[in-house]
């Protein structure tokens, strides 16, 4: 099976986010990491390859700095990577980014494209579905299990309120992967060493024929207004704990 | 502004968020139409016809009996081309996540997904969250419609849907290609051994706990309070606690007297599962964590210091 894992680099979870001066995006974060659902998508791709043979190609659109995430994917076991290098990806809308990825993917003719169900930064949750439509592939979203079955696959979709559903799909297909589908591996020392000699093909959006157009414009980024007034309990930890316990006894009345 | 609302139902029952989306549309425009797609939608269409709508579109086909992205995309995209609305609204449900982006793409448009606020300010302004609720962003739809958006829970209020009367336009789709995806019947994993919905007090732990071995300190607080232990999704994804203890859109929906969240950021998918709680208490080291937006009491601090101290204080009071 030839599997493409579309992964994205996002600001690390614990970094401070600062809105940039024109309030259109954020300043360069201090630390970055792979988008969490994408890590699960990559892991699932590696497991499918281990079970059925084939190849895993990591596909990433993002700035030069995203090579960190690409190297990690190669160290974990991806065979090679495609890096669509774009400094200002936020100038493309959802459709634009999916066009970039679809154009890069089309040339590879993969059997399966796996990606996270949404990103931790933009959170649109659309990239996989839009790619499928652009490529004419079948798709399924919020996937918690993938099994090869005859010439196609059977997947387990997560539905709302604790329900699930199996869906049979022909290949080629796009799946958007939910966090928790598998247990993530760590890169081994050997893997890190091997990654250095693996191929990373660099492309640009312009080379793929996708101009930075947005029919939906991001107008302004800002910190949300607090809607409800929270009673903040200040002081050192011991004092905070004592006051909260008193509140539980006297105001909330559960002690 | 002509708005088309794509309603969602399964087996004859409406998805509650459809009504919220409809109410949001009514608040924005006097010209709202609603679409229901399915196999036998007669009664559903009748119910819609008693709302303040310009028209109800009932899209009928045996191919729509079970949801598939292929059939629903073809149906809704076709309807949008015929109806020509300025704005198409979906509830931001799992089902919409699966096909609304596909509809927009087929028509060469961009869906603005997971919108939390919608207003008309010299054109349509759609607010959505970035970075799991840490920041907000306003998006503007440029140029002529149709524009597409999916609305998060709570944008409109289901009980605010205005009554009225509307004509029903039934379209029987007799052609159409069978879906490439073949869906099987939905199922539940196992009967839930732990029912959090009945709990009076819940202590819930999030990724701020860092490691499985640390869960004990939160478990101890739950024991001291006589509370049930719950968790955010990553804790269950990592196998640190069983799935049955997960609260949120893909876990349980709870409404206890007290919900104490320790090391939980407050992503929307978590909030929808617990925001009905009577009193919410949040312990988080990040003053900007979205959980503080819905908390009644907040402690900005290190849970590794605050939680054990709280357990001790509670035991002191309880004697
Ligand atoms: C379709 C879908 C369904 C989902 N369903 C659910 C669901 O049902 N339930 C759910 O919970 N999530 C769900 N999620 C995931 C959700 O989007 C969030 O990723 C998740 O809720 C985050 O969990 P968290 O708050 O524990 O972790 P994080 O977002 O990583 O937050 C950790 C928090 O801990 C704080 N912290 C760190 N260290 C400390 C310390 N020492 N002391 C105090 N605080 C500290 C940090 O400041 C941070 O706010 C779903 C996502 C999707 C896309």
């Amino acid at each position: 099976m030839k599997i493409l894992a579309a992964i994205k680099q996002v600001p690390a979870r614990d970094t401070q986010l600062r809105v940039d001066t024109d309030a259109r995006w954020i300043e360069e974060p201090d630390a970055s990491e792979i988008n969490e659902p994408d890590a699960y998508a990559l892991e699932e791709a590696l497991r499918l390859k281990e079970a059925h043979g084939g190849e895993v190609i990591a596909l990433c659109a993002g700035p030069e700095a995203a090579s960190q995430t690409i190297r990690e994917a190669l160290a974990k076991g991806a065979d090679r990577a495609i890096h669509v290098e774009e400094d200002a990806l936020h100038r493309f809308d959802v459709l634009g980014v999916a066009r970039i990825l679809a154009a890069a993917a089309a040339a590879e003719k993969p059997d399966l494209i796996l990606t996270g169900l949404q990103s931790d930064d933009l959170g649109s949750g659309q990239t996989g579905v839009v790619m499928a439509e652009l490529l004419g592939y079948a798709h399924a979203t919020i996937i918690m299990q993938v099994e090869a079955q005859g010439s196609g696959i059977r997947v387990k979709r997560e539905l709302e309120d604790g329900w699930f559903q199996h869906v049979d799909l022909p290949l080629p297909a796009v799946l958007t992967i939910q966090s928790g589908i598998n247990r993530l591996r760590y890169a081994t020392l050997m893997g890190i060493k091997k990654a250095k000699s693996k191929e990373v093909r660099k492309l640009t959006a312009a080379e793929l024929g996708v101009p930075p157009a947005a029919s939906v414009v991001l107008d302004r980024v800002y910190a949300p207004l607090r809607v409800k007034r929270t009673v903040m309990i200040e002081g050192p930890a011991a004092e905070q704990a004592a006051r909260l316990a008193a509140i539980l006894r006297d105001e909330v009345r559960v002690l | 502004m002509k708005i088309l609302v794509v309603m969602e139902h399964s087996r004859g029952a409406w998805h509650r968020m459809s009504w919220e989306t409809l109410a949001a549309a009514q608040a924005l425009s006097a010209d709202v139409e609603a679409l229901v797609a399915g196999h036998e939608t007669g009664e559903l269409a009748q119910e819609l016809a008693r709302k303040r709508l310009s028209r109800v579109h009932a899209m009928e086909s045996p191919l729509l009996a079970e949801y598939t992205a292929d059939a629903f995309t073809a149906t809704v995209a076709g309807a949008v081309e015929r109806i020509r609305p300025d704005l198409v609204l979906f509830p931001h449900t799992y089902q919409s996540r699966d096909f609304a982006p596909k509809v927009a793409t087929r028509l060469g448009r961009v869906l603005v997904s997971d919108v939390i606020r919608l207003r008309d300010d010299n054109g349509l302004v759609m607010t959505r969250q970035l970075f799991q609720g840490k920041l907000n962003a306003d998006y503007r739809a440029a140029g002529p419609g149709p524009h597409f958006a999916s609305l998060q829970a709570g944008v409109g209020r289901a009980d605010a849907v205005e009554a009225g009367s509307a004509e029903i336009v039934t379209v029987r789709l007799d052609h159409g290609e069978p879906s490439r995806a073949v869906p099987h019947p939905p199922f539940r994993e196992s009967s839930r051994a732990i029912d959090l919905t009945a709990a009076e007090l819940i202590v819930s732990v999030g990724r701020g706990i860092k490691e499985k071995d640390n869960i004990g300190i939160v478990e101890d607080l739950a024991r001291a309070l006589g509370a049930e232990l719950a968790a955010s999704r990553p804790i269950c994804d990592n196998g640190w606690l069983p799935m049955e203890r997960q609260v949120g859109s893909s876990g349980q929906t709870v409404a206890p007297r007290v919900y104490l969240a320790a090391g939980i950021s407050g992503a929307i998918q978590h909030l929808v599962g617990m925001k009905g709680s009577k009193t919410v208490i949040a312990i988080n080291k990040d003053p900007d964590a979205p959980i503080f937006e819905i908390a009644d009491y907040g402690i900005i601090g290190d849970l590794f210091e605050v939680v054990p101290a709280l357990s001790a204080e509670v035991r002191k009071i309880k004697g």
Side-chain angles (χ1 to χ4, degrees), chain A residues 36 121 141 160-161 230 251, chain B residues 98 131 188 207 292 297:
Chain A
E36 183 170 52
D121 54 357
T141 50
E160 287 166 36
D161 293 323
T230 305
E251 291 175 34
Chain B
D98 198 65
F131 302 98
R188 283 209 148 160
R207 184 151 37 196
F292 287 123
Y297 299 97

Side-chain angles (χ1 to χ4, degrees), chain A residues 149-166:
Chain A
Q149 195 190 48
S151 62
I153 48 172
R154 171 168 291 188
V155 298
K156 185 169 130 192
R157 272 187 78 202
E158 181 179 297
L159 306 178
E160 287 166 36
D161 293 323
W163 289 83
F164 296 94
Q165 177 180 44
H166 286 117

Side-chain angles (χ1 to χ4, degrees), chain B residues 87-308:
Chain B
L87 174 65
V88 184
L89 293 180
F90 298 82
H92 188 68
T93 59
Y94 276 39
Q95 184 166 307
S96 295
R97 280 170 170 273
D98 198 65
F99 86 104
K102 194 170 164 73
V103 173
T105 304
R106 186 155 303 177
L107 299 174
R109 311 298 303 183
V110 173
L111 170 77
V112 182
S113 51
D114 209 349
V115 167
I116 58 166
R117 194 160 52 242
L118 194 61
R119 62 178 208 277
D120 197 346
D121 175 14
N122 286 324
L124 199 58
V125 181
M126 295 162 278
T127 304
R128 49 190 310 282
Q129 297 184 323
L130 303 181
F131 302 98
Q132 307 224 339
K134 291 193 192 101
L135 295 174
N136 279 359
D138 286 350
Y139 286 78
R140 274 183 183 275
H147 301 297
F148 289 79
S150 63
L151 305 192
Q152 181 53 251
V155 178
R157 280 183 30 213
D159 60 9
V161 172
E162 294 168 45
S165 89
E167 81 171 301
I168 299 174
V169 182
T170 303
V171 179
R172 277 177 223 289
L173 305 155
D174 46 8
H175 51 280
E177 296 188 3
S179 161
R180 289 169 292 180
V182 180
H184 295 265
F187 62 93
R188 283 209 148 160
E189 207 76 294
S190 58
S191 60
R192 279 178 179 159
I194 302 154
D195 184 10
L196 297 174
T197 60
E200 284 258 299
L201 308 176
I202 291 179
V203 171
S204 197
V205 55
R207 184 151 37 196
I209 198 71
K210 299 207 169 62
E211 281 174 38
K212 181 177 184 174
D213 291 345
N214 298 336
I215 297 233
I217 67 162
V218 181
E219 208 169 5
D220 186 56
L221 174 61
R223 213 176 298 123
L225 282 165
E228 277 286 358
L229 184 63
S232 66
R233 179 164 182 135
I235 300 297
C236 304
D237 282 349
N238 285 328
W240 298 351
L241 283 175
M243 288 291 198
E244 302 156 327
R245 296 207 178 266
Q246 182 182 317
V247 167
S249 62
S250 51
Q252 301 198 43
T253 301
V254 300
R257 280 180 70 193
V258 175
Y259 188 91
L260 188 151
I264 293 178
S265 62
I268 187 90
Q269 293 89 0
H270 188 80
L271 299 188
V272 295
M274 47 64 75
K275 66 181 179 194
S277 305
K278 223 169 143 233
T279 300
V280 174
I281 302 168
I283 302 172
N284 199 303
K285 68 169 188 194
D286 176 7
D288 295 327
I291 189 80
F292 287 123
E293 274 166 63
I294 66 146
D296 299 280
Y297 299 97
I299 289 181
I300 299 166
D302 183 349
L303 74 87
F304 294 102
E305 292 173 20
V306 176
V307 170

